[in-house]
Amino acid sequence: MKKNTIGVIGLAARARGISIGTNQVLEAIRGKKAKLVLIACNVSDNTRKNLTDKANFYSAKIRETDITAEELGRAVGHSNTAAIAFTDINFVKAYEKSLLS
């Protein structure tokens, strides 16, 4: 399951269907472009609270994953990534489908 999920995230990154990193994710949330925000399981409490509060304020869906920041970063071609935001609804559907398989 985790391998499929990371594959979908990597595909979305190559297709530029996501925002990568805390700052870009916050911009996507503020701009109402974030369809789903994923937070790595090992981010700091401050980062988690900042992203969660902003997503709740702007009514963006948010989900904490079992993927570490290192794994998430590797999937999108970075070293560590605390969060990503899907900006394309089709990748959200593919991500949710990958959770079921």
Side-chain angles (χ1 to χ4, degrees), residues 1 4-5 8 36 63 89-101:
M1 175 173 80
N4 292 340
T5 303
V8 169
L36 174 65
R63 182 174 294 152
I89 193 67
N90 293 315
F91 285 117
V92 174
K93 292 175 185 176
Y95 169 77
E96 290 172 347
K97 187 177 178 182
S98 74
L99 294 176
L100 301 175
S101 55

Short mmCIF file of all heavy atoms in Angstrom, two decimals, residues 1 4-5 8 36 63 89-101:
data_model
loop_
_atom_site.label_atom_id
_atom_site.label_comp_id
_atom_site.label_asym_id
_atom_site.label_seq_id
_atom_site.Cartn_x
_atom_site.Cartn_y
_atom_site.Cartn_z
N MET A 1 0.82 -1.19 0.00
CA MET A 1 0.00 0.00 0.00
C MET A 1 0.87 1.26 0.00
O MET A 1 0.65 2.17 -0.77
CB MET A 1 -0.92 0.00 1.21
CG MET A 1 -1.73 1.27 1.33
SD MET A 1 -2.97 1.23 2.60
CE MET A 1 -2.00 1.57 4.04
N ASN A 4 2.51 1.97 -3.41
CA ASN A 4 1.57 2.53 -4.39
C ASN A 4 1.30 4.00 -4.10
O ASN A 4 1.23 4.82 -5.01
CB ASN A 4 0.25 1.76 -4.38
CG ASN A 4 0.40 0.35 -4.90
OD1 ASN A 4 1.36 0.04 -5.60
ND2 ASN A 4 -0.53 -0.50 -4.54
N THR A 5 1.13 4.33 -2.84
CA THR A 5 0.85 5.70 -2.43
C THR A 5 2.00 6.62 -2.79
O THR A 5 1.80 7.70 -3.34
CB THR A 5 0.57 5.75 -0.92
OG1 THR A 5 -0.51 4.87 -0.62
CG2 THR A 5 0.22 7.14 -0.46
N VAL A 8 2.08 7.29 -6.51
CA VAL A 8 1.11 8.30 -6.95
C VAL A 8 1.63 9.70 -6.64
O VAL A 8 1.52 10.62 -7.46
CB VAL A 8 -0.27 8.07 -6.28
CG1 VAL A 8 -1.19 9.26 -6.50
CG2 VAL A 8 -0.89 6.80 -6.79
N LEU A 36 -6.11 18.56 -1.44
CA LEU A 36 -5.83 17.69 -0.29
C LEU A 36 -4.40 17.95 0.15
O LEU A 36 -3.49 17.95 -0.67
CB LEU A 36 -5.99 16.22 -0.67
CG LEU A 36 -5.60 15.19 0.39
CD1 LEU A 36 -6.53 15.28 1.60
CD2 LEU A 36 -5.63 13.79 -0.18
N ARG A 63 -4.75 15.61 5.70
CA ARG A 63 -4.61 14.24 6.20
C ARG A 63 -3.16 14.02 6.62
O ARG A 63 -2.23 14.35 5.90
CB ARG A 63 -4.98 13.26 5.10
CG ARG A 63 -4.91 11.82 5.56
CD ARG A 63 -5.42 10.87 4.51
NE ARG A 63 -6.85 11.10 4.31
CZ ARG A 63 -7.48 10.85 3.18
NH1 ARG A 63 -6.84 10.40 2.14
NH2 ARG A 63 -8.78 11.07 3.07
N ILE A 89 -7.42 17.51 -8.77
CA ILE A 89 -8.39 16.58 -8.16
C ILE A 89 -8.20 15.15 -8.65
O ILE A 89 -8.46 14.20 -7.92
CB ILE A 89 -9.84 17.07 -8.39
CG1 ILE A 89 -10.82 16.30 -7.50
CG2 ILE A 89 -10.22 16.97 -9.85
CD1 ILE A 89 -10.67 16.57 -6.04
N ASN A 90 -7.69 14.97 -9.87
CA ASN A 90 -7.48 13.61 -10.39
C ASN A 90 -6.39 12.88 -9.61
O ASN A 90 -6.48 11.66 -9.41
CB ASN A 90 -7.16 13.65 -11.88
CG ASN A 90 -8.34 14.11 -12.69
OD1 ASN A 90 -9.46 13.66 -12.46
ND2 ASN A 90 -8.11 15.03 -13.61
N PHE A 91 -5.38 13.61 -9.15
CA PHE A 91 -4.35 12.98 -8.33
C PHE A 91 -4.87 12.66 -6.93
O PHE A 91 -4.43 11.71 -6.31
CB PHE A 91 -3.09 13.83 -8.28
CG PHE A 91 -2.30 13.78 -9.55
CD1 PHE A 91 -2.10 14.91 -10.31
CD2 PHE A 91 -1.78 12.58 -10.02
CE1 PHE A 91 -1.39 14.86 -11.49
CE2 PHE A 91 -1.07 12.52 -11.20
CZ PHE A 91 -0.88 13.66 -11.94
N VAL A 92 -5.81 13.45 -6.44
CA VAL A 92 -6.44 13.14 -5.15
C VAL A 92 -7.19 11.82 -5.27
O VAL A 92 -7.08 10.96 -4.40
CB VAL A 92 -7.40 14.27 -4.71
CG1 VAL A 92 -8.16 13.87 -3.46
CG2 VAL A 92 -6.64 15.57 -4.47
N LYS A 93 -7.93 11.66 -6.35
CA LYS A 93 -8.66 10.41 -6.58
C LYS A 93 -7.70 9.22 -6.69
O LYS A 93 -7.95 8.15 -6.13
CB LYS A 93 -9.52 10.51 -7.83
CG LYS A 93 -10.67 11.48 -7.70
CD LYS A 93 -11.40 11.64 -9.01
CE LYS A 93 -12.48 12.70 -8.91
NZ LYS A 93 -13.14 12.94 -10.20
N ALA A 94 -6.59 9.41 -7.40
CA ALA A 94 -5.61 8.34 -7.55
C ALA A 94 -4.97 8.01 -6.20
O ALA A 94 -4.73 6.84 -5.88
CB ALA A 94 -4.54 8.73 -8.56
N TYR A 95 -4.69 9.03 -5.39
CA TYR A 95 -4.12 8.82 -4.06
C TYR A 95 -5.09 8.03 -3.19
O TYR A 95 -4.69 7.05 -2.55
CB TYR A 95 -3.80 10.17 -3.41
CG TYR A 95 -3.45 10.05 -1.94
CD1 TYR A 95 -2.20 9.58 -1.54
CD2 TYR A 95 -4.39 10.36 -0.97
CE1 TYR A 95 -1.89 9.45 -0.20
CE2 TYR A 95 -4.08 10.23 0.38
CZ TYR A 95 -2.83 9.78 0.74
OH TYR A 95 -2.53 9.63 2.09
N GLU A 96 -6.35 8.43 -3.17
CA GLU A 96 -7.34 7.72 -2.36
C GLU A 96 -7.54 6.27 -2.83
O GLU A 96 -7.71 5.38 -2.02
CB GLU A 96 -8.65 8.49 -2.34
CG GLU A 96 -8.54 9.78 -1.55
CD GLU A 96 -9.74 10.69 -1.64
OE1 GLU A 96 -10.61 10.47 -2.51
OE2 GLU A 96 -9.79 11.65 -0.85
N LYS A 97 -7.47 6.07 -4.13
CA LYS A 97 -7.57 4.71 -4.69
C LYS A 97 -6.36 3.87 -4.26
O LYS A 97 -6.50 2.68 -3.96
CB LYS A 97 -7.69 4.77 -6.20
CG LYS A 97 -7.96 3.44 -6.83
CD LYS A 97 -8.14 3.59 -8.34
CE LYS A 97 -8.39 2.23 -8.99
NZ LYS A 97 -8.52 2.35 -10.44
N SER A 98 -5.18 4.50 -4.19
CA SER A 98 -3.97 3.75 -3.81
C SER A 98 -4.03 3.31 -2.35
O SER A 98 -3.39 2.34 -1.98
CB SER A 98 -2.72 4.60 -4.05
OG SER A 98 -2.58 5.61 -3.08
N LEU A 99 -4.79 4.01 -1.54
CA LEU A 99 -4.93 3.62 -0.13
C LEU A 99 -5.75 2.34 0.01
O LEU A 99 -5.57 1.59 0.97
CB LEU A 99 -5.60 4.75 0.68
CG LEU A 99 -4.80 6.03 0.82
CD1 LEU A 99 -5.64 7.07 1.56
CD2 LEU A 99 -3.49 5.80 1.54
N LEU A 100 -6.63 2.09 -0.94
CA LEU A 100 -7.48 0.92 -0.88
C LEU A 100 -6.80 -0.35 -1.39
O LEU A 100 -7.20 -1.44 -1.03
CB LEU A 100 -8.76 1.17 -1.70
CG LEU A 100 -9.60 2.35 -1.26
CD1 LEU A 100 -10.76 2.57 -2.23
CD2 LEU A 100 -10.11 2.17 0.15
N SER A 101 -5.78 -0.18 -2.23
CA SER A 101 -5.12 -1.37 -2.80
C SER A 101 -3.96 -1.84 -1.98
O SER A 101 -3.53 -1.29 -1.05
CB SER A 101 -4.67 -1.08 -4.22
OG SER A 101 -3.86 0.05 -4.29
#
